[in-house]
Amino acid sequence: MSPSPPAGPRTLVAGIGNVFLGDDGFGVETARRLAGRRLPGHVEVVDTGVRGVHLAYQLLDGYDTLVLVDATARGGAPGTLYVIEHQDGDGDGDRDGPAPGAPVLDGHRMTPDTVLALLGTLCAGTGGEPPRRVLVVGCEPASVEERMGLSAPVADAVPRAVRLIEELLLDAEPAGSAPRAAAGGIPT
């Protein structure tokens, strides 16, 4: 007998990144801080780190919403936060899986797009459903060189990111930002 499906929609917040590469640890640190906060019962926070393959398999458990938290270089000033809503077919490697002849997946260098592509392949093979909504909360890094610890601007962005994610989880528009576009990012 299989377990009963969860009552109501579930949300997974996943901090991703490598703590040994400076600001790439932004997602991990933000998830750590967020996990210590009081959150709605349908929200689960995980520190995925560099375990993108594990994240893709965890998503097969059935989540309505996925919030990925990661260092995201988009050309802004270090510490700038972005909210990016992922859309199928928006040119970022949609969920149909890797292209024929694509390189073998490196489980320690999986970007959010790669995780979602793998999830698409897994869902196709298992009949599972990917999350209905996928958001990326990104932070512009100052440095992703080999070292421990976040740069000052990125460390300063972590509490702002926690508040932003809490607002997103309440499905509220983040204070002081313009309405989000369907695809793309908005600096906050």
Side-chain angles (χ1 to χ4, degrees), residues 38-182:
R38 183 179 209 143
L39 299 172
H42 69 281
V43 175
E44 182 180 346
V45 179
V46 295
D47 163 6
T48 302
V50 295
R51 298 179 321 272
V53 172
H54 176 80
L55 174 60
Y57 277 100
Q58 182 172 357
L59 289 168
L60 290 175
D61 288 342
Y63 293 91
D64 183 65
T65 302
L66 170 63
V67 180
L68 296 168
V69 187
D70 195 11
T72 307
R74 295 179 64 96
T80 301
L81 295 176
Y82 305 102
V83 176
I84 305 157
E85 185 148 1
H86 178 274
Q87 299 289 317
D88 272 343
D90 65 1
D92 60 3
D94 65 330
R95 298 178 189 175
D96 294 331
V104 175
L105 294 175
D106 178 348
H108 292 285
R109 296 182 192 267
M110 291 186 72
T111 66
D113 289 340
T114 308
V115 170
L116 294 173
L118 175 58
L119 176 62
T121 300
L122 294 172
C123 286
T126 64
E129 288 290 324
R132 180 187 57 78
R133 185 173 189 207
V134 178
L135 298 172
V136 177
V137 174
C139 181
E140 187 75 38
S143 171
V144 289
E145 300 297 317
E146 253 185 63
R147 67 177 173 77
M148 293 286 295
L150 302 175
S151 66
V154 172
D156 291 344
V158 170
R160 290 186 292 118
V162 167
R163 286 189 303 275
L164 175 64
I165 293 166
E166 288 173 329
E167 291 174 7
L168 291 170
L169 293 174
L170 294 173
D171 206 24
E173 194 64 38
S177 72
R180 285 185 298 283

